[in-house]
Amino acid sequence: MVFWKQALYSLIIVMGVGAGLVFFAPSMMPFGAQLGLSTGNEATARSYGGGRPAPLVALSEVELVTSDNRVKSVGTAQAIARTTLYPETSGRVTELPVVAGQRVEEGDVIARLDDQLQVFAVERAQLSVEDAEAQVERYRTLATSNAVSSVQLNDAQSELVKARLDLSEAQDALRRRLIVAPFSGEIGLIDIGVGDTISTADAVTTLDDRKSLLIEFRVPERFANLISPGNEMSLVSPAIPGQVLKGEVEGMDSRIDATSRTLTIQGRIDNADDLIRPGMSFEVTLYFTGSEYSAVPSLAIQWDSNGPYVWTFEESEATRTDITIISRQADRVLISGDIGVGDRVVSDGTQSVRQGQALRTADSLQTDQQQAPASAVPSVN
């Protein structure tokens, strides 16, 4: 008896649930479906499957953009003519006629070493030359009367040559007691003083010609074929705030550095106002003609095992288009591939897009909403 009661109760519950579904199911369906009408684009709904609408995406037009036509680097100023002065011989410093920072001309004396012995040697050599010249003159006079032989005259002339060589050697030794400027420029700090005994290994001072300077910097290897001597460059330095200086490329290295993959460039800049000092740092900007490429928003770029690609929007459907990335500019990416200016790419909602899938845009959604009331509301008789 208990068993039949349980079976009867279960049958009543099942019949109740079925009646509820029959009664309430129509009210749970969309209004348009109850009337047998479409609430949107039927083709796009079917393409997504299961009656669900196609993905809503944002589109952007492909633009034509010139690739970055400039490159920036950090460079260091160097004097075109620069040297460190060392004495050519050892000795005691007797005179320093210049001070640090002074401009000197080529040949000016920077320092003088004691030279008494060298002065004496020059005087003796000068006397020897004078004696040898007098001897040659006497032999030439006697040779006209055959009082001396030609051999004796030749020997006298050889002695004169030797005496003159000795004099040149003594004069050179005296000259080496002076440290002189090999070119015009500005003297650096002087590391010696009067009375110091110095050798050829002791640096005396530095000398820089600052009328024009070299700026040495490096650029990535991809710019190597775009740069040539004469290219214009702009320079700014934290030491000269608010000023933009102009210069041009002077030369470049003959090879790419295999470690850094960069090319070393040297530019020249005029420094007639003497604003720049060797060793100053500069931000160098080089300008040159860039190439034109298609540009798309950064969010449009997708990746998979085959590389980068974008979704293009053709005839309301998504089409995969493989691309090659050239460079990035702020929020845009320069690309190349089977894509052109004016084409539309999916820039938002890409995660839901599949090949050949119909897509909805904001414009198409607005059109559907405007058309829906006219077609979805039934007439009442």
Side-chain angles (χ1 to χ4, degrees):
M1 186 66 180
V2 175
F3 172 77
W4 288 107
K5 287 183 178 181
Q6 292 178 347
L8 180 60
Y9 292 154
S10 298
L11 179 60
I12 293 172
I13 292 174
V14 170
M15 292 176 65
V17 172
L21 289 174
V22 171
F23 181 78
F24 291 104
S27 63
M28 297 173 62
M29 297 175 61
F31 180 71
Q34 296 178 43
L35 299 177
L37 301 176
S38 172
T39 58
N41 188 314
E42 295 181 359
T44 57
R46 287 196 302 270
S47 68
Y48 196 63
R52 290 177 293 172
L56 180 63
V57 298
L59 302 178
S60 298
E61 285 195 359
V62 177
E63 302 175 342
L64 186 64
V65 175
T66 301
S67 63
D68 195 357
N69 62 345
R70 64 182 181 177
V71 59
K72 291 187 176 183
S73 182
V74 176
T76 303
Q78 300 177 1
I80 292 180
R82 58 190 183 277
T83 189
T84 299
L85 300 178
Y86 292 87
E88 297 184 70
T89 185
S90 300
R92 180 173 53 84
V93 179
T94 59
E95 185 181 0
L96 286 172
V98 297
V99 294
Q102 177 181 335
R103 179 171 179 82
V104 296
E105 302 300 324
E106 181 179 353
D108 286 353
V109 175
I110 306 299
R112 187 188 302 272
L113 304 181
D114 59 303
D115 56 6
Q116 287 185 342
L117 295 179
Q118 287 72 29
V119 171
F120 294 155
V122 169
E123 292 176 352
R124 284 195 297 269
Q126 185 64 50
L127 290 174
S128 298
V129 169
E130 293 173 359
D131 289 343
E133 290 176 343
Q135 184 72 1
V136 169
E137 288 298 324
R138 286 195 300 270
Y139 278 16
R140 284 176 178 169
T141 302
L142 295 174
T144 57
S145 59
N146 295 323
V148 295
S149 65
S150 59
V151 175
Q152 290 175 305
L153 178 58
N154 290 337
D155 290 342
Q157 291 174 334
S158 296
E159 290 298 324
L160 175 59
V161 172
K162 292 179 181 179
R164 287 174 175 170
L165 290 175
D166 290 341
L167 175 59
S168 297
E169 184 177 354
Q171 290 173 336
D172 182 69
L174 178 60
R175 179 191 61 78
R176 291 173 182 271
R177 309 303 288 181
L178 299 176
I179 301 172
V180 300
F183 53 82
S184 300
E186 285 72 29
I187 292 293
L189 295 176
I190 300 175
D191 297 327
I192 60 173
V194 175
D196 290 344
T197 299
I198 59 176
S199 68
T200 55
D202 295 320
V204 176
T205 187
T206 57
L207 178 63
D208 295 303
D209 183 1
R210 301 198 300 254
K211 288 185 177 180
S212 59
L213 299 176
L214 288 179
I215 309 297
E216 186 169 298
F217 56 97
R218 295 172 177 267
V219 299
E221 61 181 346
R222 69 187 181 95
F223 294 100
N225 294 328
L226 301 177
I227 302 174
S228 59
N231 284 153
E232 181 183 346
M233 61 183 190
S234 297
L235 306 99
V236 293
S237 173
I240 316 174
Q243 292 197 34
V244 179
L245 306 176
K246 299 295 184 181
E248 64 178 28
V249 174
E250 178 83 0
M252 61 193 71
D253 202 350
S254 60
R255 62 186 64 180
I256 302 292
D257 184 270
T259 302
S260 62
R261 297 301 177 188
T262 58
L263 179 67
T264 301
I265 307 293
Q266 284 187 339
R268 180 190 289 264
I269 182 172
D270 182 70
N271 191 35
D273 296 334
D274 201 28
L275 295 175
I276 308 172
R277 294 290 186 272
M280 275 187 181
S281 63
F282 288 88
E283 181 185 73
V284 185
T285 304
L286 275 176
Y287 301 91
F288 40 81
T289 303
S291 301
E292 292 184 336
Y293 294 98
S294 299
V296 298
S298 301
L299 294 176
I301 305 297
Q302 302 296 301
W303 292 84
D304 63 12
S305 58
N306 295 321
Y309 66 93
V310 295
W311 291 113
T312 56
F313 186 72
E314 300 177 4
E315 299 180 355
S316 300
E317 292 185 352
T319 301
R320 174 195 168 112
T321 302
D322 293 328
I323 61 169
T324 299
I325 294 178
I326 304 301
S327 64
R328 296 181 181 270
Q329 292 185 350
D331 60 343
R332 295 183 301 184
V333 180
L334 274 58
I335 63 173
S336 64
D338 187 16
I339 192 169
V341 177
D343 290 347
R344 293 189 295 173
V345 299
V346 178
S347 57
D348 194 8
T350 54
Q351 66 275 8
S352 301
V353 180
R354 301 294 182 269
Q355 175 68 27
Q357 183 181 37
L359 303 176
R360 292 185 303 156
T361 65
D363 292 339
S364 65
L365 183 61
Q366 183 178 6
T367 301
D368 290 345
Q369 290 175 346
Q370 292 174 350
Q371 295 176 352
S375 59
V377 176
S379 61
V380 179
N381 293 325

